Amino acid sequence: MDTERRAEFGARLLGMLTGNVLTMLIGLGQRTGLFDAAAQGPATSAELAARAGLDERYVREWLGAMVTGAIFEYDAGRYVLPAEHAVLLTGPRASNIGPAVGTLRTLSAVLPAVERCFTEGGGVPYAQYAEAAGDTLGDSWRYIYDEQLIDGFLGRVPGLPGRLEAGARVLDLGCGSGHAVNLMAQAYPRSRFTGLDIAPGAIARGEAERAALALGNASFTVADAAALPADPPFDVITAFDAVHDQRSPEIVLAGVHDALAPGGVFVMVDARFSSHVQENVGNPHAALCYGISLLYCVPTALAGGGAGLGAMWGQQAALGMLAAAGFGDVQVLDSPRPQNCIYLCRRGPAVAASGLAPDQQ
């Protein structure tokens, strides 16, 4: 046995355990308002507790973990949240890690059900995740949409902003709680937007937000993406991190192709990885995305008897399946997030191609 290698791995494991606990405490700090209170300036534990309206003894112990975990600094009896850290922990911005921590909390709540699938097979229905998420459903992408949807994602697609400004019929596939639909409807009042999702609770949230914003050019419908109507056709169809979650992604993609008007475009934002695990080694986002895929994407798809494609289906599989669906003209564009890319697909003649399947391991 290589004792040095064992010691290095032991140190890594300690770092993982520490990171897991700190992640839990970051979530606690988000939910209790401690980070927002700390961002106001240096404070003693008593002062910070008073700002947040919390019990000082618990706040003091939390701060001990924050300081020794190198999240806060300690200076002359006061606790300091550096500005460079605050931008990643506070505010309605895409860099705020809070919604991602909330997602991990939801996944932890559903973990026993996923664990049973290892021995019993099957999957975990989306409704179980929605129940665990509660009011945080859809929050993992909310700030990303707020900051990056219009200019960062849509703006990177050649010709798309002008098309939406002029007026187009748009469908957002797997829209979740509908925030992207409502933002697009606000930004492009001449276009009409429809959000489609299979989850009634998510659609209800999107409709409530639409009503509050008094948007007359947005609407929502509860429906299966595998049963898209081809008439009347859409000028633009979008899908944000949604296609790989579908029970029958090949049927969905073929339906998207057929539901587009001649010259229409499909804008698919999805994970930017290889279909082959060895090519993802060294990618700093890969292990996290494999884990989320295991804990959410695969079990929700398998719950409906689907293929269980998973978030890590990769570019090779995605391009193969898009070609098999009839998209002969596909460009892969950069997105504002390094872990995502944008597939720009124009409706064209069908192309005979067999999809490449991700590694089966």
Side-chain angles (χ1 to χ4, degrees):
M1 179 179 292
D2 186 332
T3 56
E4 183 177 346
R5 184 177 184 182
R6 182 183 65 183
E8 289 175 353
F9 186 61
R12 269 192 69 205
L13 290 176
L14 175 61
M16 291 178 192
L17 293 173
T18 302
N20 192 17
V21 171
L22 288 174
T23 298
M24 294 166 61
L25 298 187
I26 286 172
L28 193 156
Q30 291 270 346
R31 295 188 297 275
T32 58
L34 276 165
F35 287 119
D36 290 331
Q40 297 174 27
T44 65
S45 61
E47 291 168 342
L48 187 59
R51 285 181 194 171
L54 301 172
D55 185 280
E56 186 276 338
R57 182 65 190 90
Y58 284 94
V59 171
R60 191 191 335 152
E61 205 73 2
W62 181 84
L63 285 166
M66 293 295 104
V67 170
T68 56
I71 297 171
F72 276 60
E73 295 173 353
Y74 187 69
D75 183 24
R78 292 182 178 273
Y79 298 88
V80 180
L81 177 62
E84 296 83 359
H85 296 190
V87 298
L88 301 174
L89 294 164
T90 62
R93 52 175 70 95
S95 61
N96 189 341
I97 199 175
V101 173
T103 296
L104 295 181
R105 189 184 189 205
T106 298
L107 296 179
S108 295
V110 183
L111 180 59
V114 177
E115 189 172 334
R116 286 195 296 272
C117 294
F118 273 74
T119 54
E120 300 174 7
V124 182
Y126 173 80
Q128 194 164 338
Y129 290 87
E131 182 180 357
D135 291 341
T136 66
L137 183 67
D139 282 359
S140 61
W141 273 76
R142 178 168 288 267
Y143 293 165
I144 296 169
Y145 287 143
D146 286 340
E147 189 173 305
Q148 299 176 341
L149 174 62
I150 303 303
D151 295 329
F153 284 102
L154 303 182
R156 296 196 181 198
V157 179
L160 182 59
R163 192 168 194 168
L164 296 176
E165 287 169 4
R169 188 165 183 262
V170 184
L171 172 70
D172 186 30
L173 185 80
C175 70
S177 56
H179 190 51
V181 170
N182 290 324
L183 288 177
M184 290 189 288
Q186 282 184 306
Y188 302 108
R190 292 183 178 177
S191 290
R192 298 196 62 82
F193 298 87
T194 300
L196 181 148
D197 201 279
I198 201 169
I203 289 295
R205 289 189 66 185
E207 173 57 28
E209 182 181 62
R210 184 210 64 78
L213 295 171
L215 294 171
N217 62 329
S219 62
F220 295 92
T221 183
V222 177
D224 189 340
L228 282 182
D231 187 51
F234 293 94
D235 302 303
V236 179
I237 297 178
T238 60
F240 296 96
D241 215 29
V243 170
H244 63 257
D245 290 331
Q246 301 301 315
R247 182 174 64 250
S248 304
E250 71 289 347
I251 294 176
V252 170
L253 290 175
V256 167
H257 177 273
D258 294 345
L260 283 171
V265 295
F266 175 41
V267 179
M268 182 178 79
V269 175
D270 218 290
R272 183 170 201 152
F273 297 97
S274 171
S275 300
H276 310 296
V277 66
Q278 69 273 18
E279 296 177 2
N280 293 322
V281 174
N283 187 316
H285 299 283
L288 177 62
C289 289
Y290 272 116
I292 292 174
S293 180
L294 168 67
L295 296 175
Y296 173 75
C297 305
V298 170
T300 52
L302 291 179
L309 195 59
M312 300 300 287
W313 59 324
Q315 289 193 27
Q316 295 92 332
L319 290 170
M321 292 181 70
L322 287 166
F327 289 107
D329 183 359
V330 179
Q331 291 177 265
V332 182
L333 308 173
D334 290 335
S335 89
R337 309 177 77 229
Q339 63 270 52
N340 290 113
C341 61
I342 304 168
Y343 295 89
L344 170 57
C345 315
R346 297 177 178 86
R347 179 167 181 176
V351 174
S354 58
L356 298 176
D359 293 339
Q360 302 295 316
Q361 302 207 14

